[in-house]
C-alpha cells in the first residue's frame, strides 16, 4: 500500500531534522531512504511509523490520513537497527506478540508463527531466547515479528547496520528475495549507498533534512541531480570544474589531447578491480579505476608519471 | 505470503545450529594460570574468614545461647503466646509495608526516570533520607506528624497503622533504588516495537516493562521486607509496645533481654533470623526464574 508524506517539518530543539519533506512511495515498491547521519532519514521513517510526531505536514498510508494516529493504530511493521528483541520472551513469543495481543486463537497463532519462522529460516529455534541467537538471526526474528500482523507497510531502520559485512550482504540479498515474494510495500533506511542501490527499486537521497533526489538506482548514478548526490552515491573525482567517476578516466603512458599529467602514489589491488591513486599538479588527489588486465598491461609503478583523460564528465551549473 | 522452501540456508545459521552453543565466550578452568589460581584461593580465604568472624560465628553463638537450656525450653520460649503474637504482627506489618512500597516505589522510580519536572533532583535526594537518618530519628519524625501532637490532627500513635507508616518511611528507598537503574537501562526500542505491533500503553507496561523490571522490584521488596522484620528504632516510640497489640518481635526481644530472659530473647531472634534467611533464599529462586532468559 502506498505511503505519501507531504510537507513534513520536524525540529528537535534548534536542530532541523526534516525541512519541508515530501515523499511518495508506490504500492508494492521497495524504497530506500539514503543519506549521511543527521540527514533526517531515520526521523522520516519514524514519522511514517508514528514514533515521532511531525511539527507540521501530513502522512498518508494506503490513502488514509494517519498523521494524528498513534503507532498502535497505524498497522505498520517496524524493524529496528538494534533488533529491539523482547529479551524475556522466546523467539516464538516474540513473533507471536502482535497476534497474541489481538487475542487470536492459539492454533492460528502457532500456525502463523511456524510459517513465519520458516520464511525467515528460523524454524527449529522457536524455543530459544534472543540472547541465544546471533545478530543476523535476531534481525530475522525482528522481521518475522513485524510481518506477523500483516502490516500495511514494512519500515526498516538501518536493519543490517549492526551486523558484520558478510552477514549484511547475505541478508540484503535475502530481503530483496523476500520482497519479491511478499510484495509488501517496504521502506528501508540506510547510510550505505551500495545497500540502497542493491535492494531498492527507488532511492530517496536525503541531506540536512531535505530530499535531494528521488530516482531509481541507475538514474541516480548516471544522472545525479546535484553535487551532493554525485559525491554521495559512488566515488567521484573533481577535475577542474567537472566531476568524473574513477572508471570514466582513461589512463595512458603518453601525453595526448585533453589529457593531464599526474603521478602515481599508490596502486591498490582489489581482485578484479585495481584502484590507482594519483596526484595532479597542485597536489590534488585523483583516483582511477581499472580492470586487473588493463593495469597489468600498463605495468604501473609508484612514482611513475602518467596521463589521464576523462571519457565522461558531469558539470553542475 | 508464501513460505517457499529454499535450498540455500543462510550460512551464519550453520555453526550455531550444529553445535547448539550459545554465542557466549566461556573461560574454562584449565585456562587459568597457577598464579591466578593462587590469587583466587587467597581472596576466597579472605572472604571466608571475614564472613566467618563477622557473620557466621555470632549467628552460631546466638543459636547456641537460645538452645542452652535444651530443646523443650526453646520451643516453650518460641511458642509463648506473647512471642507468637509479636511474630505474627511483625510479619504482617512487614509484608504490608513491603508490598505497598513495591507499588509506590515502582511508581516513584518511574516518575524519576521518565518524567521531567522542576525540583526532580530534590525529590531524588529526598528518597535517600530515610537511609541516612538514624532510625530513632525516623521514629521521631513519624511521631511528630502522626502522633498525639500531629499538626494535621492525624493521631495514629500506639496503633498498628502507626507501625506500618513508620516501616513505609524507612523502607521506601529500597524499591526505588533497585528499580531506578533497571528503568534507566531499559531498551526503549522494545517499547516502541510493542507499540508498533499494536500494543496500548497498559499492554506495553504489563508485557514489556514489568517483566524487565520485575527482578529489580523483587530485590527491593526482599530488602524492604528483611529490613522491616528487624526494624526497632523507627517503631519503638510510636507503637507504644502494647503486648498482643502493637509489640513487634524486635521490641519483644529487646524487652526480654533487658528483663533477664536472654534465652527467650535468643530463641525468638533465631526464628526471625530463619525467616529472613528463608525469604532471601526464596526470592533468590524467584529472581533466577524471572531472569532465566539472561542465562539461557
Amino acid at each position: 500500500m502506498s505511503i505519501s508524506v507531504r510537507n513534513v517539518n520536524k525540529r528537535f530543539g534548534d536542530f532541523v531534522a526534516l525541512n519541508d519533506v515530501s515523499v511518495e512511495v508506490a504500492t508494492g515498491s521497495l524504497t530506500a531512504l539514503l543519506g549521511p547521519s543527521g540527514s533526517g532519514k531515520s526521523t522520516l521513517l519514524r514519522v511514517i511509523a508514528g514514533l515521532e510526531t511531525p511539527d507540521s505536514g501530513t502522512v498518508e498510508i494506503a490513502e488514509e490520513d494517519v498523521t494524528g494516529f498513534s503507532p498502535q493504530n497505524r498497522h505498520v511493521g517496524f524493524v529496528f537497527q538494534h533488533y529491539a528483541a523482547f529479551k524475556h520472551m522466546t523467539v516464538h513469543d516474540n513473533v507471536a506478540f502482535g497476534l497474541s495481543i489481538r487475542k487470536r486463537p492459539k492454533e492460528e497463532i502457532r500456525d502463523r508463527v511456524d510459517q513465519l519462522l520458516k520464511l525467515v529460516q528460523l524454524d527449529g529455534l522457536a524455543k530459544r531466547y534472543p540472547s541465544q541467537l546471533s545478530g543476523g538471526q535476531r534481525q530475522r526474528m525482528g522481521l518475522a515479528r513485524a510481518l506477523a500482523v500483516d502490516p500495511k507497510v514494512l519500515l526498516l531502520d538501518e536493519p543490517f547496520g549492526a551486523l558484520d559485512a558478510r552477514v549484511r550482504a547475505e541478508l540484503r540479498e535475502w530481503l530483496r528475495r523476500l520482497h519479491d515474494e511478499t510484495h509488501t510495500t517496504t521502506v528501508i533506511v540506510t547510510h550505505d549507498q551500495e545497500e540502497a542501490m542493491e535492494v531498492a527499486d527507488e532511492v530517496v537521497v536525503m541531506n540536512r533534512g531535505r530530499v535531494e533526489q528521488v530516482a531509481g538506482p541507475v538514474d541516480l548514478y548516471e544522472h545525479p541531480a546535484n553535487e551532493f548526490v554525485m559525491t554521495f552515491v559512488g566515488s567521484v573525482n573533481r577535475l577542474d570544474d567537472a566531476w568524473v567517476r574513477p572508471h570514466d578516466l582513461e589512463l595512458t603512458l603518453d601525453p595526448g589531447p585533453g589529457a593531464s599529467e599526474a603521478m602515481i602514489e599508490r596502486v591498490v589491488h582489489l581482485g578484479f578491480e585495481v584502484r590507482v591513486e594519483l596526484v595532479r599538479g597542485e597536489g590534488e588527489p585523483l583516483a582511477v579505476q581499472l580492470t586487473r588486465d588493463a593495469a597489468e598491461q600498463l605495468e604501473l609503478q609508484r612514482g611513475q608519471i602518467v596521463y589521464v583523460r576523462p571519457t565522461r564528465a558531469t558539470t553542475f551549473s | 505470503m508464501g513460505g517457499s522452501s529454499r535450498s540455500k540456508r543462510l550460512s551464519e545459521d550453520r555453526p550455531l545450529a550444529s553445535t547448539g552453543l550459545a554465542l557466549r565466550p566461556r573461560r574454562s578452568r584449565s585456562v587459568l594460570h597457577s598464579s591466578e589460581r593462587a590469587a583466587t584461593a587467597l581472596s576466597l580465604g579472605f572472604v571466608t574468614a571475614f564472613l566467618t568472624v563477622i557473620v557466621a560465628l555470632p549467628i552460631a553463638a546466638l543459636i547456641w545461647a537460645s538452645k542452652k537450656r535444651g530443646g523443650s525450653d526453646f520451643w516453650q520460649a518460641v511458642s509463648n503466646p506473647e512471642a507468637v503474637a509479636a511474630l505474627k504482627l511483625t510479619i504482617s506489618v512487614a509484608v504490608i509495608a513491603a508490598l505497598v512500597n513495591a507499588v509506590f516505589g515502582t511508581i516513584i522510580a518511574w516518575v524519576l526516570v521518565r518524567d521531567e519536572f522542576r525540583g526532580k533532583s530534590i525529590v531524588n535526594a529526598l528518597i535517600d533520607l530515610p537511609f541516612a537518618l538514624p532510625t530513632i530519628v525516623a521514629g521521631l519524625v513519624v511521631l511528630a506528624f502522626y502522633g498525639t501532637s500531629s499538626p494535621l490532627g492525624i493521631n495514629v500513635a500506639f496503633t498498628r497503622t502507626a507501625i506500618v507508616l513508620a516501616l513505609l518511611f524507612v523502607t521506601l528507598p529500597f524499591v526505588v533504588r533497585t528499580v531506578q537503574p533497571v528503568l534507566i537501562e531499559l531498551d526503549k526500542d522494545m517499547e516502541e516495537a510493542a507499540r508498533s505491533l499494536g500494543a496500548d500503553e497498559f499492554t506495553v507496561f504489563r508485557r514489556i516493562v514489568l517483566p524487565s523490571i520485575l527482578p529489580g522490584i523483587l530485590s527491593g521488596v526482599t530488602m524492604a521486607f528483611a529490613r522491616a522484620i528487624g526494624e526497632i528504632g523507627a517503631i519503638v516510640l510510636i507503637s507504644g509496645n502494647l503486648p498482643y497489640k502493637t509489640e513487634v518481635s524486635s521490641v519483644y526481644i529487646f524487652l526480654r533481654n533487658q528483663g533477664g530472659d536472654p534465652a527467650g530473647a535468643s530463641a525468638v531472634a533465631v526464628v526471625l533470623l530463619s525467616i529472613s534467611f528463608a525469604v532471601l533464599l526464596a526470592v533468590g529462586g524467584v529472581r533466577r526464574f524471572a531472569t532465566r532468559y539472561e542465562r539461557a
Side-chain angles (χ1 to χ4, degrees):
Chain A
M1 290 178 219
S2 66
I3 303 171
S4 110
V5 175
R6 294 204 186 99
N7 309 102
V8 162
N9 286 284
K10 176 73 184 175
R11 281 167 166 273
F12 295 105
D14 287 339
F15 179 72
V16 181
L18 295 175
N19 187 355
D20 197 31
V21 169
S22 298
V23 170
E24 299 288 326
V25 175
T27 302
S29 72
L30 206 172
T31 299
L33 302 182
L34 173 68
S37 58
S39 60
K41 56 194 190 304
S42 279
T43 306
L44 178 58
L45 195 76
R46 292 172 60 82
V47 164
I48 295 171
L51 297 172
E52 302 287 353
T53 316
D55 301 333
S56 62
T58 59
V59 177
E60 281 178 19
I61 296 174
E63 267 133 56
E64 182 184 18
D65 188 339
V66 297
T67 315
F69 286 27
S70 67
Q72 184 196 346
N73 298 318
R74 291 202 185 190
H75 304 291
V76 301
F78 202 96
V79 174
F80 295 78
Q81 179 177 6
H82 298 289
Y83 326 125
F86 301 145
K87 298 183 189 76
H88 55 288
M89 295 183 199
T90 60
V91 170
H92 176 280
D93 291 351
N94 263 275
V95 177
F97 185 83
L99 298 169
S100 75
I101 60 174
R102 283 172 176 74
K103 308 255 186 291
R104 295 283 173 76
K106 278 228 165 69
E107 302 80 59
E108 185 196 322
I109 293 178
R110 207 187 43 231
D111 292 349
R112 178 89 176 117
V113 171
D114 285 351
Q115 182 200 353
L116 280 162
L117 288 182
K118 219 166 268 163
L119 183 76
V120 300
Q121 305 180 6
L122 289 177
D123 37 330
L125 301 181
K127 291 205 175 85
R128 298 262 181 110
Y129 284 98
S131 64
Q132 295 168 295
L133 302 181
S134 70
Q137 290 173 327
R138 275 183 229 187
Q139 197 55 296
R140 279 183 275 142
M141 180 189 83
L143 209 55
R145 185 176 69 182
L147 287 170
V149 293
D150 274 321
K152 290 179 182 161
V153 296
L154 187 60
L155 308 173
L156 306 111
D157 190 4
E158 304 238 16
F160 312 135
L163 302 169
D164 68 58
R166 195 175 56 87
V167 178
R168 194 158 64 215
E170 236 176 42
L171 282 188
R172 217 188 265 168
E173 188 195 324
W174 174 80
L175 175 73
R176 181 68 234 186
R177 278 189 281 129
L178 181 79
H179 180 263
D180 291 343
E181 276 175 35
T182 63
H183 298 292
T184 310
T185 308
T186 304
V187 181
I188 177 172
V189 160
T190 178
H191 62 265
D192 179 349
Q193 43 106 2
E194 207 180 297
E195 185 164 288
M197 307 285 262
E198 188 177 326
V199 299
D201 309 316
E202 187 130 272
V203 181
V204 178
V205 183
M206 296 190 64
N207 182 35
R208 295 182 180 187
R210 288 184 161 277
V211 173
E212 298 279 358
Q213 187 173 5
V214 182
V218 178
D219 259 3
L220 203 63
Y221 193 79
E222 300 297 338
H223 308 290
N226 52 39
E227 291 188 0
F228 176 80
V229 179
M230 179 97 211
T231 53
F232 192 74
V233 179
S235 46
V236 73
N237 294 299
R238 184 87 200 230
L239 212 67
D240 303 320
D241 291 335
W243 297 97
V244 186
R245 301 275 185 205
H247 49 77
D248 291 334
L249 276 171
E250 195 182 54
L251 201 150
T252 52
L253 300 176
D254 303 309
S260 48
E261 197 182 82
M263 191 183 75
I264 297 178
E265 275 227 307
R266 213 158 90 94
V267 181
V268 186
H269 294 269
L270 300 165
F272 168 76
E273 169 200 334
V274 173
R275 196 171 72 229
V276 185
E277 291 169 11
L278 309 151
V279 277
R280 287 208 306 146
E282 306 282 295
E284 305 123 73
L286 201 64
V288 179
Q289 215 176 355
L290 299 171
T291 63
R292 186 185 51 192
D293 291 349
E296 266 172 18
Q297 257 179 3
L298 291 167
E299 292 175 20
L300 300 174
Q301 301 286 329
R302 200 178 148 190
Q304 192 178 354
I305 301 294
V306 291
Y307 299 88
V308 289
R309 189 178 69 83
T311 53
R312 184 205 290 223
T314 312
T315 47
F316 299 100
S317 51
Chain B
M1 143 181 348
S4 78
S5 63
R6 297 190 188 86
S7 54
K8 187 193 164 210
R9 298 288 296 193
L10 297 175
S11 64
E12 54 148 0
D13 285 347
R14 277 180 221 127
L16 196 71
S18 61
T19 59
L21 281 177
L23 294 173
R24 199 179 296 161
R26 181 174 287 173
R27 194 155 62 154
S28 78
R29 201 165 275 258
S30 61
V31 178
L32 285 176
H33 293 292
S34 60
S35 61
E36 266 183 85
R37 225 176 294 155
T40 309
L42 193 65
S43 50
L44 202 65
F46 268 122
V47 171
T48 314
F50 189 80
L51 283 179
T52 307
V53 174
I54 301 297
V55 183
L57 287 179
I59 289 177
L62 175 74
I63 295 171
W64 178 256
S66 71
K67 298 229 174 183
K68 219 181 264 173
R69 288 183 302 171
S72 61
D73 272 11
F74 175 83
W75 285 115
Q76 216 167 19
V78 171
S79 57
N80 171 343
E82 195 184 328
V84 172
L87 203 59
K88 277 186 183 165
L89 175 66
T90 304
I91 292 171
S92 55
V93 290
V95 166
I96 293 170
L99 291 183
V100 171
N101 270 338
V103 175
F104 287 94
T106 304
I107 294 172
I108 291 170
W110 179 272
V111 170
L112 284 175
V113 173
R114 292 295 173 94
D115 295 340
E116 286 305 324
F117 55 91
R118 281 166 64 132
K120 181 168 159 176
S121 56
I122 296 172
V123 175
N124 207 2
L126 216 58
I127 302 291
D128 284 330
L129 207 57
F131 263 150
L133 280 182
T135 55
I136 191 80
V137 178
L140 279 173
V141 169
V142 176
L143 189 64
F145 195 74
Y146 297 112
T148 40
S149 53
S150 163
L152 292 184
I154 314 167
N155 182 8
V156 291
F158 318 134
T159 66
R160 292 177 171 182
T161 313
I163 302 175
V164 173
L165 284 173
L167 289 179
L168 284 178
F169 183 86
V170 293
T171 60
L172 173 69
F174 290 102
V175 174
V176 179
R177 290 299 183 228
T178 49
V179 172
Q180 224 175 354
V182 187
L183 271 180
I184 290 171
E185 290 296 310
L186 195 64
D187 180 9
K188 280 201 180 168
D189 284 357
M190 276 205 292
E191 294 169 54
E192 292 187 338
R195 270 182 215 118
S196 74
L197 289 167
D200 56 34
E201 289 308 306
F202 176 72
T203 308
V204 171
F205 183 79
R206 195 175 60 86
R207 301 273 316 259
I208 307 297
V209 177
L210 193 59
S212 308
I213 63 174
L214 195 62
I217 297 177
L218 282 175
S219 294
V221 166
T222 320
M223 286 194 280
F225 179 79
R227 172 67 188 272
I229 274 190
E231 183 57 45
I232 181 163
I235 295 172
V236 73
L237 294 177
I238 201 169
S239 72
N241 311 315
L242 306 168
Y244 301 102
K245 280 206 178 118
T246 61
E247 187 184 47
V248 295
S249 292
S250 57
V251 175
Y252 176 85
I253 292 167
F254 177 74
L255 295 176
R256 276 282 143 159
N257 200 46
Q258 296 297 97
D261 182 14
S266 317
V268 177
V270 167
V271 175
L272 275 193
L273 195 72
S274 313
I275 293 171
S276 292
F277 193 58
V279 168
L280 286 174
L281 283 184
V283 171
V286 175
R287 215 184 124 82
R288 278 185 72 79
F289 180 73
T291 59
R292 64 199 180 284
Y293 54 88
E294 285 172 6
R295 292 177 307 275

